[in-house]
Amino acid sequence: MASGAGRRGNKADKVLEYEAFVDKRLKPDLVRAIAERDKLMEQLKTYSDLATNIKMLEENKLARLRTMVNLGSEIYCQADVPDTSRIFVDIGLGFHAELSWKEALDFITTKTTILDRTHERDSNAQANQRGDETCRENQVSNQAGLRRHSRALEFGARVILGESSILIET
């Protein structure tokens, strides 16, 4: 009888250990990966918008431009661009390059290709992280002798091992 209680205690320790690993390691890694993906998608959108604006300038043959510029914190001012034939493009790491429209479009094409590859790689990494999290939750279930309580774990439930059965308390 004492050995049975010891095994249940050991299972409870394993369950808590796995829960801690999922909560302290896997979930923060997943949250960080999602934030990085969102940042990458914002960059892709910015380059796409820039390409659209350059094409609009080419189609309308605008040599001069008057626009509103966001100075930050949603404060705008009018800007007059006397020569639109060359533009400054953020090329990364805080550097900007003065490029012609064609050079800018070529750069944007290359940069978006790189960002798309990065997005694909990161998406695969996120899928692996989610798989690891699910695998750990299944291990917790198996250790505790439960069929399926991964949803309870996902919502922060605590598994309590009783004398004769397992109770999930939220």
Side-chain angles (χ1 to χ4, degrees), residues 92-163:
L93 300 174
F95 291 98
H96 293 77
E98 185 177 0
L99 304 172
S100 69
W101 292 344
K102 182 181 179 337
E103 292 169 335
L105 288 173
D106 291 342
F107 171 79
I108 291 168
T109 301
T110 303
K111 185 71 172 184
T112 54
T113 301
I114 292 168
L115 291 173
D116 283 335
R117 282 190 214 139
T118 303
H119 178 259
E120 185 176 317
R121 185 192 69 223
D122 290 352
S123 293
N124 291 338
Q126 282 179 18
N128 289 339
Q129 286 174 329
R130 284 191 174 126
D132 288 347
E133 190 173 321
T134 301
C135 181
R136 289 291 183 177
E137 288 176 352
N138 287 337
Q139 287 175 343
V140 169
S141 297
N142 292 337
Q143 284 288 329
L146 294 175
R147 289 185 188 200
R148 190 86 177 140
H149 74 277
S150 62
R151 287 288 143 217
L153 287 175
E154 186 175 313
F155 295 108
R158 220 178 82 212
V159 176
I160 300 173
L161 299 175
E163 278 298 317

Side-chain angles (χ1 to χ4, degrees), residues 27-83:
K27 285 186 180 180
D29 286 350
L30 184 59
V31 168
R32 195 171 21 262
I34 290 171
E36 288 174 8
R37 184 204 59 201
D38 291 345
K39 182 179 173 186
L40 185 79
M41 295 305 292
E42 182 64 31
Q43 285 180 322
L44 280 167
K45 182 183 178 329
T46 300
Y47 282 114
S48 174
D49 291 347
L50 179 59
T52 302
N53 289 337
I54 292 170
K55 290 174 185 172
M56 186 264 314
L57 288 171
E58 284 180 332
E59 288 171 5
N60 295 325
K61 296 181 179 22
L62 294 175
R64 184 181 177 105
L65 179 67
R66 189 169 197 153
T67 187
M68 297 292 283
V69 177
N70 187 350
L71 299 175
S73 300
E74 300 303 316
I75 297 173
Y76 290 86
C77 73
Q78 283 190 343
D80 186 33
V81 182
D83 180 18

